[in-house]
Amino acid sequence: LGDRHHRISIQQALAEGVADAAGLRLHDSAIPDAASPPLPADADGDINRIRWRRKAPEALWQTSGGTLHARLTVAETRLCRLEFAGDLQLQPSDWLWRLEQRLAGVSLAELRPQIERFCREAPWDAPGFGEKDIVQVAELAAAQWSLGKTLALNAAQTHALMTFAAAPQASAAALTQAQALLVPYCAKPGWCKWRHREDCIECGKCAVGEAYRLGRERGLAVTTILNYAHLEATLARLKQEGAAAYLGMCCRAFFQKRHRAFRQAGLPAILMDIGGANCYRLKQEDQAYAGQFQAEARIDLPLLRHALQALPRRTGRAK
């Protein structure tokens, strides 16, 4: 019991047990001691991971002060609840909770002005992020909900979407303007000689081949991302070529940890979560970034089909 990390983990486990029994959500108002070492990471490698119970539209936005998360539930076009969380320092510590209370029941159209009004009325101090960041993550979550409704997705499928857009309203446009589909190499079978190549011959023996077929039928340029450097180069090329938007697939942990790559590219994107083997859980992040991850991920073909249905069918089949 002399180890500080061990004491903290016991306290956290007790607190979470009480919260689960009472049906409550924990709000950690403590500001960490700058001299203290970081808390241990969980199985995904995330620090201060958010454990929301129900699947719902969820967005994230990285700032210099940390990562800000937002999750919402909507009835018709009004917010039932909008929740914020993140690895951030904020005073007063209950400020985000009070913002959540203010936003309950407001229409989605009033989301931005209500947040801006609350920021003016309730003094707060948050190093590294501000009003624009809160508006950004809230509107990204709202855009994700709208996408789910447009595509007639269930709650789990909507949760599996990850949207990126400097202007959240551009997320919807990405559905009809996407010109490329990016697939992770880790979703190709380990036995496939095309696993570490950008292309696919659509042999019909795996889900990736079907993804290539579906994407090409819609006129998308489909590319297998071979490593992290290749992702950066591919996004830079798409931007240089004037692509309006793209679709892609990656795990949620990668989207959070490598958010910078998507932000630097500046292209609207709709990303779909993948299942199966996860390099973060297997603690093989470095191998994955280098293109040497050996395990196999699993893409969500039903979700991809839903997303591609919204794309206009272009003349000719992309190669």
Side-chain angles (χ1 to χ4, degrees):
L1 295 178
D3 181 75
R4 180 178 181 273
H5 287 173
H6 185 60
R7 293 199 307 273
I8 290 174
S9 64
I10 292 175
Q11 292 168 358
Q12 181 70 15
L14 289 172
E16 290 181 356
V18 172
D20 285 338
L24 301 175
R25 183 167 67 95
L26 291 177
H27 286 270
D28 186 3
S29 61
I31 297 178
D33 181 357
S36 301
L39 297 179
D42 67 3
D44 287 339
D46 294 333
I47 303 296
N48 299 329
R49 187 182 178 195
I50 302 162
R51 293 177 175 85
W52 277 312
R53 288 178 177 78
R54 290 182 297 275
K55 293 187 181 298
E58 178 184 335
L60 70 86
W61 186 252
Q62 286 195 345
T63 72
S64 59
T67 303
L68 186 62
H69 298 256
R71 169 178 286 207
L72 54 74
T73 52
V74 179
E76 298 298 332
T77 58
R78 290 191 173 274
L79 285 172
C80 295
R81 188 170 189 181
L82 175 58
E83 299 174 273
F84 295 97
D87 54 346
L88 304 156
Q89 295 186 10
L90 175 67
Q91 288 291 344
S93 59
D94 67 343
W95 191 89
L96 282 176
W97 180 82
R98 289 190 287 121
L99 174 59
E100 292 175 6
Q101 308 311 302
R102 169 68 71 87
L103 296 176
V106 306
S107 69
L108 292 180
E110 282 291 306
L111 184 57
R112 174 186 287 265
Q114 287 289 345
I115 293 174
E116 293 173 342
R117 185 175 300 119
F118 185 81
C119 289
R120 292 193 301 268
E121 295 174 354
W124 60 304
D125 181 37
F129 77 101
E131 175 186 312
K132 290 183 178 180
D133 298 306
I134 295 175
V135 169
Q136 177 78 11
V137 75
E139 290 191 334
L140 281 173
Q144 186 177 335
W145 175 83
S146 296
L147 282 175
K149 186 175 181 180
T150 299
L151 297 174
L153 302 179
N154 60 36
Q157 289 173 320
T158 303
H159 176 75
L161 293 177
M162 295 167 283
T163 56
F164 176 86
Q169 297 80 2
S171 298
L175 269 180
T176 57
Q177 297 177 4
Q179 295 168 268
L181 173 63
L182 308 184
V183 181
Y185 77 91
C186 59
K188 288 181 175 178
W191 49 260
C192 179
K193 68 178 183 180
W194 293 85
R195 180 176 169 99
H196 298 289
R197 302 183 188 182
E198 293 185 32
D199 206 352
C200 171
I201 60 172
E202 300 178 36
C203 68
K205 296 180 180 179
C206 77
V208 171
E210 178 65 3
Y212 265 77
R213 185 187 69 80
L214 292 170
R216 285 167 170 166
E217 282 186 350
R218 291 286 175 174
L220 298 179
V222 190
T223 301
T224 297
I225 298 301
L226 305 177
N227 52 53
Y228 181 63
H230 185 226
L231 171 64
E232 291 185 308
T234 301
L235 293 179
R237 175 179 57 79
L238 288 174
K239 186 173 184 179
Q240 185 177 20
E241 292 174 352
Y246 65 95
L247 305 179
M249 307 170 193
C250 68
C251 68
R252 190 172 294 275
F254 180 87
F255 181 56
Q256 175 171 337
K257 290 176 178 292
R258 298 300 170 181
H259 192 262
R260 179 178 60 86
F262 302 102
R263 193 164 183 171
Q264 282 183 338
L267 291 173
I270 297 175
L271 305 172
M272 289 156 273
D273 199 4
I274 58 177
N278 183 304
C279 67
Y280 296 99
R281 293 192 183 97
L282 297 174
K283 302 187 184 303
Q284 296 179 19
E285 180 178 342
D286 291 340
Q287 294 95 313
Y289 290 172
Q292 300 170 0
F293 186 54
Q294 298 301 313
E296 296 175 20
R298 182 180 64 254
I299 64 177
D300 189 336
L301 279 177
L303 180 57
L304 176 61
R305 289 191 180 99
H306 273 289
L308 292 177
Q309 285 175 2
L311 278 173
R313 191 180 294 273
R314 299 181 177 92
T315 304
R317 189 176 188 271
K319 297 181 179 180

